[in-house]
Amino acid sequence: RRVLFRSLAFTDISVEDLIVEAGVARSTFYAHFEDKSLALLKLAEQVVADLGEATSRWYRLPPGAAREDLHDALVELIDAHSRHRHTLIGVAEAAAYEPRVRVGYEALMRRRIAELESGLRTQQSQGAIRARVDAAQVAVWLGWLIERGLYKLWIDGDASLAHPDGVVEIIWRVLYTDR
């Protein structure tokens, strides 16, 4: 999967490319997937599970955690995004023209945002995040900010900017400090 996504846009990848890369018969591919879009969505589900695991370090920050703790947690999240960037880019691009991918992508993002909201509420109940923060609204903004921000950096070929300092600054000031 990585070789294909590194060298081709999703629209340029054929089912033939996928089965050759995977080393499976065409009949095996079609026994599991109706088309390549559904194969991409299945792959995206696995990626989102990995991203959820990486994000959980952020959710587990205890009350009194330092800015450096947040930084370290977000490094783990950005590293997970980076490992899966080709799949994430493929899903975002295919969502622009393939209705089933768009619906699937939006559902995956809703799930990620719900997990983020739950994590924020847990930290709020423990006193780690200020009580006045609206976890539901902030989760939507942060979820899309991180996803779209990293997408833009990768598409532009400027992955060197995908370090956590900027997003740490935003999250630290919004959630954890009164400064």
Side-chain angles (χ1 to χ4, degrees), residues 16-81:
E16 183 68 23
D17 294 327
L18 294 173
I19 64 175
V20 168
E21 178 83 12
V24 299
R26 184 175 294 276
S27 60
T28 302
F29 177 87
Y30 284 112
H32 295 281
F33 308 108
E34 185 178 321
D35 58 28
K36 70 178 188 174
S37 296
L38 294 181
L40 178 62
L41 282 175
K42 185 64 173 173
L43 181 58
E45 288 173 13
Q46 296 167 357
V47 166
V48 167
D50 189 45
L51 294 175
E53 182 63 32
T55 308
S56 70
R57 180 167 178 201
W58 173 16
Y59 304 156
R60 294 190 312 263
L61 288 177
R67 182 186 174 111
E68 293 75 28
D69 299 321
L70 175 63
H71 179 277
D72 294 346
L74 292 176
V75 164
E76 191 170 324
L77 174 60
I78 290 170
D79 286 348
H81 268 264

Side-chain angles (χ1 to χ4, degrees), residues 5 8-15 17 36 40 90 93-94 97:
F5 285 131
L8 299 172
F10 183 72
T11 55
D12 297 332
I13 299 170
S14 67
V15 170
D17 294 327
K36 70 178 188 174
L40 178 62
E93 290 177 351
Y97 62 84

Side-chain angles (χ1 to χ4, degrees), residues 94-134:
Y97 62 84
E98 173 58 56
R100 289 179 302 181
V101 175
R102 182 175 31 262
V103 168
Y105 175 58
E106 290 170 354
L108 292 172
M109 283 302 296
R110 278 193 305 276
R111 188 172 96 203
R112 289 190 61 210
I113 289 167
E115 290 168 358
L116 176 55
E117 180 183 348
S118 176
L120 295 178
R121 289 189 190 283
T122 298
Q123 285 187 318
Q124 216 168 23
S125 71
Q126 297 169 344
I129 293 175
R130 293 175 302 187
R132 71 174 190 207
V133 170
D134 183 331

